[in-house]
Amino acid sequence: MATLVGVVAAVAGAAVVALLSAALALYGQPLDTALKRAFSLHKVHSIKDMENTFQLVRNIIPPLTTKKHKGQDGRIGIIGGCQESSLTLSQPLVLVSQGADLSHVFCTREAAPVIKSYSPELIVHPVLDSPNAVHEVEKWLSRLHALVVGPGLGREDALLENVKGILEVSKARGIPLIIDADGLWLIAQQPTLIQGYRKAVLTPNHMEFGRLSEAVLKDPVDNGDRRGAVLRLSQALGNVTVVQKGEQDVISDGEQVLECSQQGSNRRCGGQGDLLSGSLGVLVHWALHAGPEKTNGFSPLLLAAFGACSLTRQCSHQAFQKHGRSTTTTDMISEVGPAFSTLFET
Ligand SMILES: *[C@@H]1O[C@H](CO)[C@@H](O)[C@H](O)[C@H]1NC(C)=O
């Protein structure tokens, strides 16, 4: 969903996750019920194995100490937010503003006032359509822990040219990259932009996945074997982590395949993908930062993706329980803290 609300949801997701890692309340169902429904690793796995995987995700979450200054737990940049939307922006942005210094949005000059007017504290860089865009973003990269590329980006040639340059300088600096939405459209045009970059996570939906597979594998997707299809795409991209969103989310790093079927809601609201990419930005940073002793040899990006998928689905589930069919992206964002506690803070 390429809208301004999209980028706001991504920002809100990232900010709220980063800030609420110490949220206290325990909501929703007991954890082991949540775990039983949560996922299947390969075919059959015991609750104990699921618990172990969740424990690894918990391991990567940094402890909240009073000594830390804001932002140390994950400053995320978002490349996008250029497309306007008439949807309500105010509520997600109230949440965003709590974590203002955690989130930088790099957007077009035209989009900036809209984003700023709702959240004066959000750091907005109206540089994406400037001739110096690559340099303007590069100046900030040393302060950022991850970049989310694509929500609300659009497909204008000049912008995409700039984004190509931004991807190149980010890779050169080893910045983790989460690629979603129109960012994936760009990758389908030019897979070499991301091929072999092991700090990237791609989050395609069904249609985006098909487009990528055709571009990279020159094959139509085998819809009967999602796990195999995700594994193959990841390998063809040089073991870049791929998260195929769907009824279950299927995640692969070219070696293992995880499935996340944490109960969500039947109704997928538009912002769900944006919450996923935003929270992935933070979780990928945490996972890479945690080091191999915390992740027990598991791929940090795979764990981060699993954590972000579980969290997004849990948000959706909790929001749907409260609001039913009228659930909005905003309702989901309000559940980020409680859902995080339910899943990861026990
Ligand atoms: C990707 O992972 C598979 C499985 O571990 C391995 O066989 C392959 O060589 C890896 N590819 C790259 C490019 O590292």
Side-chain angles (χ1 to χ4, degrees):
M1 194 180 87
T3 64
L4 186 53
V5 164
V7 76
V8 166
V11 170
V16 172
V17 169
L19 283 173
L20 295 190
S21 60
L24 297 168
L26 255 168
Y27 288 72
Q29 72 274 73
L31 182 71
D32 67 327
T33 320
L35 283 175
K36 273 175 206 152
R37 281 202 302 255
F39 53 103
S40 47
L41 280 156
H42 300 282
K43 295 249 151 49
V44 190
H45 263 245
S46 67
I47 299 302
K48 190 163 174 298
D49 291 329
M50 294 187 217
E51 178 56 49
N52 288 345
T53 308
F54 257 104
Q55 191 52 51
L56 291 177
V57 178
R58 288 185 200 113
N59 280 356
I60 66 172
I61 297 168
L64 199 82
T65 70
T66 47
K67 281 193 190 132
K68 277 188 189 164
H69 53 277
K70 256 163 125 188
Q72 194 169 325
D73 283 339
R75 259 188 314 269
I76 306 303
I78 314 257
I79 309 288
C82 311
Q83 302 198 337
E84 299 226 17
S85 155
S86 59
L87 295 171
T88 49
L89 290 158
S90 55
Q91 284 176 46
L93 281 160
V94 169
L95 281 162
V96 169
S97 63
Q98 295 174 7
D101 64 339
L102 299 174
S103 304
H104 293 243
V105 177
F106 300 89
C107 60
T108 55
R109 186 196 274 279
E110 194 182 43
V114 185
I115 300 178
K116 266 203 172 126
S117 69
Y118 283 99
S119 178
E121 290 175 68
L122 188 67
I123 303 175
V124 179
H125 306 270
V127 299
L128 216 49
D129 50 352
S130 103
N132 293 328
V134 178
H135 179 67
E136 293 295 327
V137 175
E138 191 179 18
K139 284 198 301 203
W140 286 93
L141 288 181
S142 62
R143 290 178 48 79
L144 299 177
H145 298 118
L147 274 188
V148 179
V149 181
L153 180 60
R155 296 179 182 175
E156 210 180 288
D157 283 343
L159 280 191
L160 293 182
E161 273 309 309
N162 287 340
V163 174
K164 282 184 201 174
I166 292 166
L167 290 176
E168 296 296 353
V169 293
S170 305
K171 288 193 297 181
R173 286 171 175 265
I175 306 278
L177 296 170
I178 318 303
I179 318 273
D180 192 24
D182 294 321
L184 293 170
W185 194 83
L186 174 63
I187 300 300
Q189 312 306 304
Q190 202 174 321
T192 50
L193 280 171
I194 212 71
Q195 219 143 18
Y197 186 61
R198 302 289 281 272
K199 287 189 181 175
V201 182
L202 273 47
T203 56
N205 60 24
H206 183 76
M207 198 208 278
E208 291 157 347
F209 185 87
R211 203 184 283 137
L212 279 168
S213 286
E214 273 170 41
V216 177
L217 295 161
K218 319 285 177 211
D219 265 344
V221 178
D222 174 3
N223 284 314
D225 179 17
R226 278 185 67 202
R227 302 167 64 95
V230 175
L231 180 71
R232 270 193 302 282
L233 178 61
S234 170
Q235 288 177 345
L237 286 168
N239 295 348
V240 163
T241 300
V242 175
V243 179
Q244 190 196 24
K245 298 177 285 196
E247 208 174 313
Q248 285 89 38
D249 302 316
V250 179
I251 311 163
S252 181
D253 64 345
E255 192 168 334
Q256 302 190 61
V257 183
L258 292 186
E259 210 168 283
C260 181
S261 49
Q262 173 83 24
Q263 187 173 31
S265 80
N266 296 330
R267 186 182 177 286
R268 284 188 82 84
C269 64
Q272 201 164 329
D274 305 308
L275 265 182
L276 175 69
S277 54
S279 47
L280 249 174
V282 177
L283 281 159
V284 163
H285 164 60
W286 288 349
L288 289 169
H289 195 71
E293 66 284 359
K294 292 272 176 66
T295 53
N296 200 18
F298 225 80
S299 149
L301 270 59
L302 210 60
L303 279 181
F306 181 79
C309 287
S310 306
L311 179 66
T312 303
R313 299 174 81 93
Q314 182 70 20
C315 284
S316 167
H317 174 64
Q318 292 182 189
F320 193 78
Q321 284 202 318
K322 287 188 191 165
H323 306 279
R325 294 196 166 276
S326 64
T327 303
T328 61
T329 304
T330 308
D331 297 328
M332 281 187 55
I333 290 169
S334 338
E335 297 297 330
V336 173
F340 190 92
S341 297
T342 302
L343 292 177
F344 304 123
E345 294 182 328
T346 50

